[in-house]
């Protein structure tokens, strides 16, 4: 198994508590339930736990339960014999069987049906499975880690989640905070992803414009680390002359700040964008740009200085 590549250093109390629980639980065989919004790194945590455990040299098998209909999920999990149903042309090993000796990670467990939950409960109790279309029971040994971004307690109240199954999968519950709740880690995560993509994309990145950094630091990241990662990849791809620029940051990032933006900052950002656009349309001719903007050349010159606008 290759060593996974992720950044788990943190100055946040809740995140460090989650890390501490994960490492203390890693070597037991107890079922772990990871809770947190989409994109906070639940699969990364599951993988981290697997690598800290004595099962690390065996498989880590991840299944996204949300990605399958109930029927296909059962076949994905248990596998099937040739001819078990129409379309089963070949024998197929299920994901649970693949996880034998290792770790099974069931993502979006909150989205499974009561039948799927009941079957899994039996497997956990009996430690045996049979492929669909076969009566042969096989002994199976895996460590279960589940994750969800749903409110499971509410699903139980709605009778959409079996309470007995919930207790079975949640011996250890780990809450992973959203990125908004761990702002103190944001700067180092930004640097981590810039470095990661600079290496991957073979681009030298020397600097990040102050405005770009401040926009990234103020955004609220509803998609959490997944969103941050995508934004930085895009910025590194688009970077020129080793510089990450505010120009490549989409508007959406300004309009969803985690803390309210001052009106003067919003005004300044919009003004800067518009001046840049007009300068570029006028091929950086100061006289015609100033004329079209309805300001004097001197005022335009001051704005260019104030907003650090460069000709590219
Ligand atoms: N600590 C981290 N270091 C590096 N990359 C990370 C980290 N946490 C998350 N990521 C990256 O962010 C993305 C989302 O992470 P992951 O799939 O683990 O989140 P999730 O909580 O399981 O999301 P979902 O609920 O949507 O399944 C992945 O590309 C992952 O590699």
């Amino acid at each position: 198994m290759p060593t996974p590549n992720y950044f788990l250093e943190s100055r946040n109390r809740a995140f460090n508590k989650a890390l501490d629980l994960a490492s203390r639980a890693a070597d037991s065989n107890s079922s772990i339930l990871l809770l947190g919004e989409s994109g906070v790194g639940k699969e990364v945590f599951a993988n981290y736990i697997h690598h800290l455990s004595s099962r690390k040299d065996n498989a880590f098998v991840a299944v996204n339960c949300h990605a399958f209909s109930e029927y296909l999920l059962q076949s994905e999990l248990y596998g099937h014999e040739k001819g078990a149903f129409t379309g089963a042309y070949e024998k197929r090993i299920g994901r649970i069987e693949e996880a034998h000796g290792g770790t099974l990670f069931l993502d979006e467990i909150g989205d499974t049906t009561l039948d799927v939950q009941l079957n899994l409960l039996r497997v956990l109790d009996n430690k045996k499975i049979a492929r669909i279309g076969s009566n042969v029971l096989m002994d199976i040994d895996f460590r279960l880690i589940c994750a969800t971004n749903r409110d499971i307690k509410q699903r139980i109240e709605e009778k959409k989640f079996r309470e007995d199954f919930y207790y079975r999968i949640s011996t250890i519950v780990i809450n992973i905070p959203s990125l908004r709740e761990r702002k103190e880690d944001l700067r180092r995560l930004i640097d981590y992803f810039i470095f990661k993509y600079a290496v991957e994309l073979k681009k030298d990145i020397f600097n990040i414009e102050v405005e770009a950094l401040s926009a990234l630091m103020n955004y609220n990241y509803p998609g959490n680390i997944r969103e941050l990662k995508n934004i930085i990849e895009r910025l590194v791809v688009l970077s020129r002359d080793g510089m990450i620029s505010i120009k490549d940051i989409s508007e959406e990032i300004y309009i969803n700040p985690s803390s309210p933006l001052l009106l003067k900052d919003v005004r300044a950002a919009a003004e800067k964008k518009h001046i840049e656009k007009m300068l570029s349309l006028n091929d950086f001719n100061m006289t015609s740009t100033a004329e079209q903007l309805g300001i004097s050349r001197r005022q335009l010159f001051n704005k260019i200085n104030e907003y650090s606008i460069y000709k590219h």
Side-chain angles (χ1 to χ4, degrees):
M1 285 271 117
T3 315
N5 181 12
Y6 30 61
F7 184 81
L8 291 172
E9 285 166 39
S10 175
R11 294 182 178 149
N12 178 270
R13 212 167 141 256
F15 194 81
N16 278 324
K17 192 174 159 202
L19 276 179
D20 177 52
L21 261 178
S23 61
R24 282 192 291 145
D27 235 352
S28 71
N29 242 347
S30 308
S31 300
I32 297 182
L33 178 63
L34 302 171
L35 301 176
E37 289 177 18
S38 180
V40 291
K42 296 187 290 298
E43 181 160 349
V44 164
F45 253 72
N47 204 263
Y48 172 66
I49 294 169
H50 173 73
H51 277 89
L52 289 180
S53 79
S54 53
R55 298 173 173 270
K56 64 177 185 301
D57 294 325
N58 296 319
F60 173 81
V61 177
V63 180
N64 183 345
C65 299
H66 184 69
F68 301 92
S69 65
E70 173 175 347
Y71 189 65
L72 283 178
L73 179 60
Q74 305 269 24
S75 149
E76 179 78 9
L77 290 174
Y78 301 97
H80 57 73
E81 293 297 338
K82 186 175 172 180
F85 47 83
T86 327
Y89 301 116
E90 297 293 338
K91 174 179 103 172
R92 187 174 186 282
I93 305 284
R95 309 285 276 160
I96 299 182
E97 205 177 326
E98 270 176 29
H100 184 60
T103 303
L104 178 69
F105 173 57
L106 298 181
D107 200 1
E108 317 275 9
I109 193 76
D111 293 2
T112 52
T113 61
L114 294 168
D115 277 349
V116 167
Q117 296 161 26
L118 179 62
N119 287 343
L120 283 168
L121 185 62
R122 288 193 184 128
V123 173
L124 291 172
D125 284 343
N126 304 330
K127 301 197 168 34
K128 286 183 193 303
I129 60 158
R131 295 190 197 123
I132 298 174
S134 161
N135 294 324
V136 182
L137 284 172
M138 293 175 282
D139 288 327
I140 205 87
D141 162 43
F142 62 90
R143 189 313 154 69
L144 181 67
I145 304 181
C146 295
T148 185
N149 50 32
R150 291 216 185 217
D151 182 343
I152 293 264
K153 293 269 165 66
Q154 194 191 329
R155 304 273 297 165
I156 294 174
E157 267 168 38
E158 293 166 355
K159 305 265 180 271
K160 288 184 177 143
F161 208 89
R162 295 181 64 102
E163 198 168 8
D164 48 1
F165 182 58
Y166 171 73
Y167 289 119
R168 196 70 181 74
I169 62 171
S170 62
T171 314
I172 311 264
V173 178
I174 302 182
N175 281 292
I176 307 176
S178 69
L179 194 45
R180 285 185 305 290
E181 293 163 298
R182 43 183 293 231
K183 274 291 172 109
E184 56 272 64
D185 292 334
L186 191 51
R187 179 65 219 260
R188 289 189 313 153
L189 278 164
I190 292 172
D191 287 346
Y192 167 81
F193 285 120
I194 291 179
F195 181 75
K196 172 184 159 66
Y197 284 113
V199 171
E200 258 178 58
L201 301 163
K202 298 192 174 55
K203 289 192 88 161
D204 286 326
I205 303 288
F206 307 113
N207 217 338
I208 173 163
E209 280 177 13
V210 178
E211 297 97 321
L213 184 60
S214 120
L216 290 173
M217 293 294 292
N218 276 307
Y219 182 52
N220 73 359
Y221 299 95
N224 292 296
I225 301 196
R226 176 178 295 115
E227 186 177 15
L228 171 68
K229 185 177 162 181
N230 289 345
I231 291 171
I232 303 283
E233 178 179 1
R234 179 174 176 276
L235 290 174
V236 172
V237 168
L238 297 178
S239 66
R240 272 188 295 199
D241 307 323
M243 180 69 119
I244 289 192
S245 165
I246 183 75
K247 277 198 215 125
D248 297 324
I249 290 189
S250 71
E251 250 165 54
E252 181 199 346
I253 293 181
Y254 294 106
I255 54 181
N256 287 308
S258 55
S259 49
L261 276 185
L262 297 178
L263 192 58
K264 72 175 176 46
D265 293 332
V266 178
R267 222 181 269 139
E271 213 173 80
K272 179 178 180 190
K273 260 200 155 158
H274 188 58
I275 293 172
E276 278 175 338
K277 188 171 128 198
M278 296 310 285
L279 279 167
S280 149
L281 283 175
N282 286 298
D283 216 10
F284 262 74
N285 181 308
M286 301 283 276
T287 312
S288 25
T289 308
E291 229 173 72
Q292 286 174 13
L293 289 172
I295 55 177
S296 67
R297 277 193 77 202
R298 174 165 208 88
Q299 280 172 318
L300 177 59
F301 190 73
N302 289 341
K303 295 268 178 210
I304 289 174
N305 268 339
E306 184 185 339
Y307 297 140
S308 318
I309 295 173
Y310 305 101
K311 186 174 178 179
H312 284 287

